[in-house]
Amino acid sequence: MAVKAAESMVRDLFKQAGVEVYGKHAWDIQVVDTRFYERVLRDSSLGLGEAYMDGWWEVESIDQLVERLLRAGLDRQVRGGLRAALPGLLGRLTNRQSRSRAFEVGEDHYDLGNDLYAAMLDRRLVYTCAYWKNASNLDDAQEAKLDLVCRKIGLQPGMSVLELGCGWGSFARFAAEKYGVTVVGLTVSKEQVALGSELTRGLPVELRLQDYREVQGQFDRVVSVGILEHVGYKNYRTYMEVVARTLKPDGVAFVHTIGGNRSVTAGDPWSDRYIFPNGMLPSIQQLGAAMEDLFVMEDWHNFGPDYDRTLMAWHANFEAAWPELKQKYSERFHRMWRYYLLTSAGTFRARAQQLWQIVFTRTGTPQPDCRMI
């Protein structure tokens, strides 16, 4: 396609979202390299992100730009070619989250460097959405989220808890310290196990480098705070069967996950390639089908707008720490990571993604006190 024709098409698409090329608003794109236009039409969101990483365009506010693009539905209008479609095709043809691939996201994302995450996150290293209802800063909002989880599942001293996807042990440490429980946590990240084991030393907490499908034993509570985004639609039923197998008969299970408004077979192609390999977001329909005949859904709480605020706080921390981080990470990484955080914030602000907390039990179990708090 000729450059002029591509430019005209992209400009017309942007106008639908109130975005102007070379405009004066914070969300208006400033094109640096005119190859940008053909790349976006050819590779859709993958091309848009790669072009930003390569310095082909600039914008004052990525989050405001993405919010407008999504509210206008441009993500559905520009499908792109084979490169953009490849994750979805592979997702239908193969199990991209199989046992043999389970550790890829740990190696590519969570093992990037504990220095990066320590600089970006709160003091407890919580890498999931905070709960801002009565909080004014990231540290307090993350503690409020951890306490919210503990209260929803009715933790009592002496209980045993299995955490599928434990990160650096932030929930395990909080639950052991504040509620007197023992916790076994699983992660696919070597770096998270190494640092998390140090942070939980002296507590009744065991962190393991282990795929969730391999865990044995039974526990009073089974929770996951941010693993379902890595499970994959072909494995949601398997995940729920693992929970059913490891949960005691009168136990309570809990999931905290980002969710999508429609069922898909793969994640965004740019995120899949550069941030979360093999990642995808579950839908209500997919999770409901996976739970059917295994569990009673007790409570489904959505506070997706809180993730916008969480991501903006992470971005502020990341940019403040960049003068030190740049000694280890490249400028292209800087642009990639900024794009990741701010596009994610814009996506939640546009209500294109949600943040769900789900409490569920076995049939016949007395209903727990898991009302929205």
Side-chain angles (χ1 to χ4, degrees), residues 114 125 166-170 173 190-201 205 207:
N114 288 330
L125 296 179
C166 63
W168 292 272
S170 55
R173 180 182 173 193
K190 295 177 181 178
E191 293 293 327
Q192 288 184 334
V193 169
L195 180 56
S197 296
E198 291 181 19
L199 296 174
T200 57
R201 184 175 292 124
V205 171
L207 304 186

Side-chain angles (χ1 to χ4, degrees), residues 102-103 105-107 109-114 117 124-125 163-170 172-173 183-202 205-212:
F103 291 86
V105 68
E107 295 167 355
H109 186 84
Y110 296 106
D111 288 347
L112 277 171
N114 288 330
Y117 294 109
R124 285 187 175 271
L125 296 179
E163 185 182 8
L164 304 175
C166 63
W168 292 272
S170 55
R173 180 182 173 193
V183 185
V184 172
L186 312 183
T187 177
V188 292
S189 166
K190 295 177 181 178
E191 293 293 327
Q192 288 184 334
V193 169
L195 180 56
S197 296
E198 291 181 19
L199 296 174
T200 57
R201 184 175 292 124
V205 171
E206 179 188 358
L207 304 186
R208 302 176 183 170
L209 185 68
Q210 187 178 42
D211 178 60
Y212 70 93

Side-chain angles (χ1 to χ4, degrees), residues 283-338:
S283 69
I284 292 174
Q285 180 186 54
Q286 288 168 330
L287 292 183
M291 294 170 64
E292 192 167 317
D293 291 331
L294 290 176
F295 295 111
V296 175
M297 194 280 290
E298 304 286 2
D299 185 67
W300 197 303
H301 180 188
N302 181 12
F303 54 98
D306 283 33
Y307 224 145
D308 176 11
R309 191 170 178 181
T310 303
L311 285 152
M312 295 305 291
W314 289 348
H315 173 255
N317 288 345
F318 172 66
E319 294 293 353
W322 182 249
E324 292 186 14
L325 292 173
K326 70 179 181 181
Q327 306 302 318
K328 177 180 176 181
Y329 302 92
S330 69
E331 179 57 28
R332 194 166 194 268
F333 178 90
H334 184 201
R335 293 179 68 88
M336 179 188 76
W337 207 253
R338 176 198 293 146

Side-chain angles (χ1 to χ4, degrees), residues 11-32:
R11 282 177 176 268
D12 287 344
L13 286 166
F14 284 165
K15 283 181 182 178
Q16 296 178 35
V19 175
E20 183 180 354
V21 177
Y22 305 122
K24 297 180 179 180
H25 295 104
W27 55 83
D28 287 332
I29 279 185
Q30 312 301 313
V31 174
V32 177

